[in-house]
Amino acid sequence: PTGPQGPTGAAGTGLAYHTESRVPVSIPTSFTSILHLDVPEGSYVVAATVLANNLGFTRVPVLCAITGGRIDLQCQSNTGPAGATAQADQMQLTASTVTGIVRQ
């Protein structure tokens, strides 16, 4: 026999939006969008990964940031000694909807 219906469970986790690119791009010396994600208005937790390749034999600093509105993964590099440059590859950007964030 079927028993009584239980209480309503918690709401699901919602949608996640994801994009990726495996097309290498040179990382310029000023912040430039290398990947973007268009999402509806709302609250999101955003994560990004990028593989930065050094195309020379010296260190080339790379800095990346995620910006809001249209979610952009932006990167910049400093040209290393003797003009060494960096390249971005295997970029991923994911935004997951959230109903709230608990800070600890």
Side-chain angles (χ1 to χ4, degrees):
T2 302
Q5 183 172 346
T8 301
T13 56
L15 295 175
Y17 299 87
H18 177 81
T19 189
E20 63 182 70
S21 175
R22 298 194 181 278
V23 177
V25 295
S26 293
I27 301 175
T29 56
S30 61
F31 272 110
T32 302
S33 177
I34 60 171
L35 194 64
H36 77 273
L37 190 59
D38 293 313
V39 298
E41 189 173 317
S43 296
Y44 298 89
V45 171
V46 179
T49 60
V50 60
L51 174 64
N53 295 307
N54 182 346
L55 300 178
F57 296 104
T58 59
R59 196 179 296 189
V60 178
V62 173
L63 180 62
C64 295
I66 299 170
T67 62
R70 178 181 102 157
I71 300 172
D72 278 314
L73 173 59
Q74 297 187 356
C75 293
Q76 75 171 24
S77 70
N78 291 338
T79 303
T85 59
Q87 187 177 64
D89 195 1
Q90 300 180 24
M91 301 155 287
Q92 297 184 26
L93 191 54
T94 303
S96 301
T97 57
V98 295
T99 57
I101 296 175
V102 176
R103 293 187 181 179
Q104 298 183 351

